[in-house]
Amino acid sequence: MSGISYTDNFIRFRKERKAIGCPSFLWFLAPFLTQAPCLFLWVTSIRRMSLDNHPGFDSGGALWFQNLTELPHSALGLIFPFLIASLHYINVQISFATSSVGKVDSLFAKVFKFYLDILTLPLFGIGLLIPQGSLVYWVTNSSISLIQQLTLKHPAVRSILGLPDKDASTAGAPSVESPSMQQRIPVQNLSPKELLSLSIKHLSREEKDQAISLLNLALVKDPDYVKAMVVMGQTLMQKGMLEESGKFLERAISKLSFAGHATEVEDIDLLILSSQWAGVVCMKQGKKAEGLVHLERIATFKEPDDPRCKAHYFDGLLLLSSALVDFGRKAEALKFLHSVVAFNPNYKYLLEELENEEDDFASNLAHSRRRD
C-alpha cells in the first residue's frame, strides 16, 4: 500500500532502533524466559498444595478463609472473586490511561481494551472454582501490580528513578489542528519537517520546553535530521543546558562533515551555524581552545553567495575575531574584522577600538552581539 517493501521497512526500523539506543531483539524474549515460568510455577505450586491438603493449609488462613484448601462458599466467599475481578478491571484502566497504546486512536487498541474489560466477568466465575489458597496469592499479586502502577505513575517517583516524564510529549507537544479539515492531528503523525516547523513556532512564543519535546520526537523519527539537531542545540543553549547543547551541536557538525566538505547551500549554512553555536557553548564552559577550533572552521569556508548564509558567515567571523583577541592574536582578529566591516559598516567602531588597542573591545563586541 505504501510502496515500500517489508524488507526496506525492517531495515529502516533497525537503523532507527540503533540510533536511539534500543536494546537487542532478544529482550522481547525476557518476559517469556523469566517472568512467565516463575508465574506458572508459583500458581501451579500453590494450587497443587491447596488441592493436596498440604500440612497447615487446612487451618493456615485468617478471617473467613481459615481453610485454604476449600473452594469459596457462603456470602463471604464472594469477596475474593469480586476483588480479583475488580483489581483486573482497575489495572486495565490504569494501564491504558498511562501507556502509549491507550493514546493511539486505532481499532486494534479499542478492540483489545474491550476484550480485557469483558474478561472481568469470566475471571469472577473462575474465582469461584479454585481453592482459597490460590485466591489469596491472586489477590496479593493483583494488589501489588496496582500499587506498582500507581507508584510509577507519580512524577516524583519517576524523577527519583530517572524515568522519563510520560506526559512530556503530550503536554509539551499538543495536537495540531488542521485548518482545512478542522480536526486535531496527533504530533506523532507529523513528519520530522513538520515537527521542526511547529517547534520553531513555539520558540517564537518563548515556549522552549514544548519546542524541545517536538524536536526530540523529530529526532526519534529521523536521527539524521541535522537541522533539528542545530535548532535543538541552540534552544538548549538558551536554556543554559550547555553540556546537552554541545552534544547536539557536535553531532550536527559530525554529520555534516562526515561526507567531506559540505557543498549544498543549506548544508553550508547549517555547518556555519552549528560551528558558531558550538564555539559559543565551549567558550561559556571555559573550553576556550575547543571553542576557537569551532569558530576557526567558519573561516575555512569561501564567502557564500546566498544572502542569509552570508550573514551567518560574517556573524561567525565576528565571533572569531573576539575569540582571537582573547588569545592575543590581534593581527588575525583585525584581518577578519576588516572583512566583517566591509560587509556591515555598523561594526566599524569595533575595528577602530581594536586598532587603538582599547581594553573594552571584547565587552563592546559582546554587547553589540546581544543588541543584534
Side-chain angles (χ1 to χ4, degrees):
M1 295 294 292
S2 64
I4 302 176
S5 69
Y6 173 81
T7 303
D8 291 338
N9 273 322
F10 183 74
I11 292 173
R12 182 179 179 185
F13 167 74
R14 289 192 61 187
K15 179 181 178 183
E16 295 189 358
R17 180 182 64 81
K18 290 180 179 179
I20 62 177
C22 289
S24 166
F25 287 114
L26 296 177
W27 278 105
F28 289 114
L29 301 176
F32 301 100
L33 297 177
T34 57
Q35 296 180 19
C38 291
L39 176 64
F40 285 126
L41 177 63
W42 294 335
V43 170
T44 55
S45 297
I46 294 173
R47 180 176 180 276
R48 196 73 259 159
M49 292 169 72
S50 299
L51 294 176
D52 293 346
N53 293 314
H54 188 80
F57 266 51
D58 57 348
S59 58
L63 302 176
W64 72 92
F65 52 97
Q66 292 285 345
N67 191 341
L68 299 177
T69 65
E70 292 181 343
L71 298 180
H73 58 278
S74 74
L76 293 177
L78 298 176
I79 294 178
F80 275 143
F82 177 76
L83 284 175
I84 289 170
S86 300
L87 288 169
H88 166 79
Y89 183 80
I90 294 171
N91 276 317
V92 169
Q93 306 314 307
I94 294 176
S95 296
F96 273 80
T98 57
S99 117
S100 58
V101 176
K103 296 180 176 66
V104 177
D105 187 18
S106 69
L107 179 61
F108 172 76
K110 292 178 180 178
V111 171
F112 184 53
K113 183 178 182 298
F114 178 74
Y115 161 74
L116 292 176
D117 289 342
I118 292 297
L119 196 60
T120 303
L121 297 176
L123 288 177
F124 179 80
I126 293 172
L128 298 171
L129 303 175
I130 59 178
Q132 293 187 130
S134 296
L135 293 177
V136 171
Y137 166 77
W138 197 342
V139 169
T140 303
N141 185 57
S142 297
S143 300
I144 292 174
S145 296
L146 177 60
I147 294 171
Q148 179 183 351
Q149 289 202 80
L150 292 174
T151 302
L152 292 178
K153 185 181 177 183
H154 197 281
V157 176
R158 299 186 70 84
S159 177
I160 292 172
L161 297 177
L163 299 174
D165 185 0
K166 284 197 169 188
D167 297 328
S169 59
T170 55
S175 301
V176 184
E177 186 173 346
S178 170
S180 58
M181 301 179 67
Q182 292 299 310
Q183 60 180 343
R184 298 183 71 80
I185 304 172
V187 292
Q188 287 80 3
N189 296 343
L190 297 178
S191 68
K193 187 175 181 179
E194 291 169 331
L195 289 166
L196 175 64
S197 299
L198 185 58
S199 72
I200 292 174
K201 290 182 181 179
H202 281 289
L203 288 173
S204 67
R205 299 193 292 265
E206 296 296 322
E207 298 169 350
K208 294 184 178 65
D209 291 334
Q210 292 89 332
I212 289 172
S213 295
L214 292 166
L215 291 168
N216 272 323
L217 182 56
L219 289 170
V220 168
K221 288 175 173 282
D222 184 1
D224 297 327
Y225 195 11
V226 176
K227 195 170 184 179
M229 295 179 202
V230 176
V231 176
M232 175 70 92
Q234 184 179 1
T235 304
L236 291 172
M237 184 192 72
Q238 292 172 354
K239 282 179 65 68
M241 303 169 67
L242 300 180
E243 185 174 351
E244 294 83 351
S245 170
K247 289 179 181 178
F248 280 100
L249 294 169
E250 293 277 2
R251 187 172 153 199
I253 293 170
S254 176
K255 292 283 184 184
L256 290 166
S257 304
F258 181 74
H261 293 291
T263 54
E264 297 294 330
V265 172
E266 184 178 21
D267 289 344
I268 294 173
D269 192 34
L270 288 173
L271 187 52
I272 289 173
L273 284 173
S274 55
S275 298
Q276 183 180 138
W277 292 118
V280 172
V281 167
C282 287
M283 294 290 184
K284 287 186 175 184
Q285 290 179 300
K287 304 174 184 177
K288 294 189 176 182
E290 293 180 31
L292 184 61
V293 171
H294 288 300
L295 294 174
E296 285 182 324
R297 184 183 301 110
I298 300 172
T300 63
F301 287 100
K302 180 183 176 182
E303 180 180 327
D305 295 324
D306 180 76
R308 181 182 177 84
C309 186
K310 181 182 289 189
H312 293 155
Y313 171 76
F314 282 107
D315 283 344
L317 292 186
L318 187 61
L319 290 170
L320 174 59
S321 300
S322 175
L324 289 171
V325 170
D326 288 341
F327 277 85
R329 295 160 60 178
K330 178 182 174 182
E332 294 175 77
L334 280 171
K335 182 185 73 171
F336 291 119
L337 198 52
H338 273 291
S339 300
V340 172
V341 172
F343 172 73
N344 186 351
N346 290 332
Y347 292 119
K348 186 176 181 180
Y349 73 97
L350 293 174
L351 178 61
E352 293 172 351
E353 288 176 1
L354 182 59
E355 288 176 334
N356 295 329
E357 297 186 347
E358 292 191 18
D359 295 334
D360 58 350
F361 166 77
S363 61
N364 284 344
L365 176 56
H367 175 72
S368 71
R369 299 300 304 133
R370 287 195 297 270
R371 185 177 59 203
D372 292 341

